[in-house]
């Protein structure tokens, strides 16, 4: 019965999706809530849901890391010294350090290593929770592109830090005498090597196949998914980290094929959307009900500090000295919703750090995700409209500067999709 209701709700949401995008109701909100309702009504087996979550979570993380990275034009990104790069290179570490400080102050019983790990897990953002912002044509293209580039890359950039901290935390909890530095070094080097090898080889083969008309669009997508999962499996086989390999492989693959594999641009809008909804639903079925009783005042204070203080402050500081207007800095600071990356990273590192701290970190991450889905979903449409209206009163308007190129294509349902990045300078 639960699966029937899931199918019916999904079909209904898709029938009214365009209209719902203009409201404060978002897909993540609906599917998380549906999962919780079915769990409480006993209409969906949570044990079965947990088994499915393992598969969906791992697959979602592999594909999203690989394909998000594959959309990135590294040449354009390397030449850019503007908003997205500032937020990634300065805002990301600042948000981590400020977040760790906030956790250490609010939850003094947390050892420093776990505060650092938790802050790192809360750092990546998910533009899908603020889709009404990045797909709203009223918001100028430059701010929307900046948010798209940042959210597409910050999860992959945060991942090595998360894995390294999880390795250290695990060795402390288990009193394992193994050299965590050697273990971490293997994870952080063999993974990228596997990603570089598979990404480069796969990209070159695809280019050859397209030049000789040996393949078509229908097969390219299947091939890209196979490359992503193959990269993960190869890294795991040789002792590296598969998720880092997937991200690195995607960067190299995208650099080689550039705009010649349209699947990597279409996945997020189609198959990726279904995968994300499925993951949010399974989170609602299996983890949100268990996480809710662990939402104390201290945990709520950490979540609100992460959403309202540490991320906004980090973004404000990272954009100091740029041509971004003060309201743009505030807008960017708020629209850093915590989504699938936060949940899946916590879910992934949980086995490495022991049951006690693994559960505390997982539950705090899950509570952050559903609260962020609610708050960012409710504010996306009105905040985007208010921001656009205020920008129209500004002179001069750096946010309205013409776009020559972007490190990542801007995908939107409200405007015709742009199939690939253009050459030139990043805004």
């Amino acid at each position: 019965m639960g699966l029937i209701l899931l199918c019916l709700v999904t079909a209904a949401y898709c029938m009214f999706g365009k209209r719902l995008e203009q409201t404060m109701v978002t897909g993540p909100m609906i599917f998380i809530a549906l999962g919780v309702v079915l769990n409480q009504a006993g209409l969906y087996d949570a044990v079965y849901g947990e088994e499915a979550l393992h598969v969906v979570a791992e697959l979602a993380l592999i594909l999203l890391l690989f394909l998000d990275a594959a959309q990135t034009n590294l040449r354009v990104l390397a030449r850019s010294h503007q908003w997205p790069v500032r937020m990634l290179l300065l805002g990301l570490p600042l948000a981590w350090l400020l977040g760790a400080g906030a956790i250490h102050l609010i939850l003094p019983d947390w050892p420093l290593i776990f505060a650092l790990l938790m802050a790192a897990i809360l750092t990546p953002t998910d533009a899908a929770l603020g889709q009404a912002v990045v797909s709203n044509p009223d918001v100028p293209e430059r701010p929307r592109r900046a948010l798209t580039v940042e959210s597409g890359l910050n999860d992959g950039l945060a991942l090595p830090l998360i894995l390294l901290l999880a390795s250290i935390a695990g060795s402390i909890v288990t009193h394992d005498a193994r050299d965590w530095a050697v273990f971490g070094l293997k994870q952080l080097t063999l993974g990228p090597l596997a990603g570089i090898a598979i990404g480069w080889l796969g990209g070159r083969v695809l280019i050859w196949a397209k030049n000789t008309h040996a393949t078509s669009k229908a097969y390219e997508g299947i091939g890209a998914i196979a490359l992503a999962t193959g990269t993960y499996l190869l890294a795991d086989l040789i002792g590296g980290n598969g998720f880092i390999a997937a991200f690195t492989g995607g960067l190299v693959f995208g650099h080689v094929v550039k705009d010649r594999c349209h699947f990597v641009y279409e996945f997020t809008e189609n198959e990726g959307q279904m995968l994300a909804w499925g993951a949010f639903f399974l989170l609602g079925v299996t983890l949100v009900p268990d996480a809710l009783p662990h939402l104390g005042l201290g945990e709520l204070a950490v979540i609100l500090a992460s959403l309202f203080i540490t991320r906004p402050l980090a973004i404000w500081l990272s954009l100091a000295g740029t041509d971004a207007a003060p309201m743009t800095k505030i807008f960017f600071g708020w629209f850093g919703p915590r989504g699938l990356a936060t949940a899946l990273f916590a879910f992934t590192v949980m086995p490495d750090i022991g049951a006690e701290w693994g559960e505390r970190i997982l539950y705090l991450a899950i509570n952050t995700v559903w609260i962020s889905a609610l708050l960012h979903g409710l504010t996306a449409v009105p905040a985007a409209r208010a921001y656009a209206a205020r920008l129209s009163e500004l002179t001069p308007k750096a946010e309205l500067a013409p776009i020559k190129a972007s490190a990542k294509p801007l995908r939107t349902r409200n405007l015709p999709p742009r199939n690939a990045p253009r050459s030139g300078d990043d805004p």
Side-chain angles (χ1 to χ4, degrees):
M1 184 62 182
L3 287 176
I4 295 175
L5 289 175
L6 172 61
C7 293
L8 292 176
V9 170
T10 302
Y13 179 77
C14 292
M15 294 303 101
F16 298 96
K18 183 177 180 180
R19 188 161 296 178
L20 287 173
E21 282 182 349
Q22 302 168 14
T23 72
M24 293 185 289
V25 178
T26 67
M29 291 167 60
I30 289 175
F31 288 100
I32 289 175
L34 177 63
V36 173
V37 169
L38 293 185
N39 174 285
Q40 297 302 301
L43 297 177
Y44 197 96
D45 189 344
V47 174
Y48 173 78
E50 187 170 345
E51 294 175 355
L53 181 60
H54 278 275
V55 177
V56 173
E58 198 160 285
L59 181 61
L61 196 52
I62 294 167
L63 293 182
L64 294 177
L65 285 170
F66 184 92
L67 295 172
D68 268 346
Q71 297 177 20
T72 305
N73 187 320
L74 290 176
R75 288 195 179 95
V76 172
L77 186 63
R79 289 197 298 268
S80 170
H81 299 282
Q82 297 298 319
W83 303 344
V85 171
R86 285 286 198 99
M87 289 191 287
L88 289 168
L89 298 185
L90 296 178
L92 191 68
L94 280 173
W96 169 55
L97 293 173
L98 291 172
I103 294 171
H104 188 64
L105 288 174
I106 298 171
L107 301 174
D109 63 315
W110 279 51
L112 181 58
I113 184 61
F114 291 107
L116 290 168
L117 176 59
M118 188 72 250
I121 291 173
L122 294 181
T123 299
T125 62
D126 184 355
L129 293 182
Q131 184 65 33
V133 172
V134 296
S135 66
N136 190 335
D138 293 332
V139 178
E141 189 173 355
R142 188 182 182 192
R144 287 190 288 139
R145 283 187 182 273
L147 286 173
T148 301
V149 171
E150 186 216 4
S151 65
L153 292 177
N154 62 14
D155 49 1
L157 294 177
L159 181 56
L161 175 65
I162 292 170
L163 294 173
L164 181 60
L165 292 171
S167 176
I168 299 172
S171 66
I172 293 173
V173 169
T174 60
H175 304 288
D176 194 342
R178 72 180 179 182
D179 190 341
W180 60 263
V182 173
F183 175 77
L185 186 62
K186 287 177 62 178
Q187 292 270 295
L188 300 180
T189 55
L190 297 179
L193 286 176
I196 292 170
I198 297 294
W200 183 85
L201 181 60
R204 297 307 303 173
V205 171
L206 177 63
I207 294 298
W208 172 83
K210 291 182 73 69
N211 289 339
T212 58
H213 304 287
T215 189
S216 66
K217 285 184 64 176
Y219 298 109
E220 291 171 9
I222 299 173
I225 291 176
L227 279 176
T229 53
T231 302
Y232 173 88
L233 293 173
L234 175 61
D236 188 61
L237 180 66
I238 63 177
N241 185 269
F243 297 117
I244 296 178
F247 180 72
T248 308
L251 285 175
V252 175
F253 178 78
H255 181 69
V256 172
V257 304
K258 297 180 175 63
D259 61 342
R260 300 192 63 182
C261 184
H262 294 290
F263 175 81
V264 300
Y265 305 108
E266 297 166 353
F267 178 85
T268 304
E269 295 293 310
N270 300 303
E271 296 90 345
Q273 194 69 263
M274 292 182 62
L275 192 60
W277 290 347
F280 279 120
F281 169 75
L282 291 172
L283 289 176
V285 166
T286 61
L287 295 180
V288 173
D290 291 337
L292 284 172
H294 295 83
L295 183 60
L297 291 178
E299 287 76 13
L300 181 60
V302 166
I303 294 170
L304 295 181
S306 177
L307 298 179
F308 287 95
I309 300 175
T310 59
R311 154 82 185 188
L313 180 57
I315 294 302
W316 182 281
L317 293 174
S318 71
L319 293 175
T322 68
D323 55 359
M327 71 176 65
T328 296
K329 298 175 186 178
I330 296 173
F331 189 70
F332 285 171
W334 170 241
F335 280 107
R338 312 313 193 272
L340 279 183
T342 292
L344 299 183
F345 286 160
F347 191 71
T348 300
V349 304
M350 181 181 172
D352 298 329
I353 57 178
E356 179 187 355
W357 284 103
E359 287 187 354
R360 293 186 71 173
I361 285 177
L362 178 64
Y363 291 150
L364 183 52
I366 297 302
N367 281 322
T368 302
V369 170
W370 76 257
I371 290 174
S372 179
L374 179 64
L375 295 181
H376 287 101
L378 292 175
T379 58
V381 171
R385 289 173 179 167
Y387 173 67
R390 289 291 305 274
L391 277 184
S392 65
E393 303 170 0
L394 282 183
T395 52
K397 306 179 184 70
E399 286 73 9
L400 299 180
I403 303 298
K404 295 180 181 179
S406 177
K408 190 173 174 138
L410 184 65
R411 302 292 298 179
T412 169
R413 294 182 179 84
N414 295 328
L415 294 174
R418 304 172 187 273
N419 287 330
R422 293 163 287 178
S423 59
D425 297 325
D426 191 21

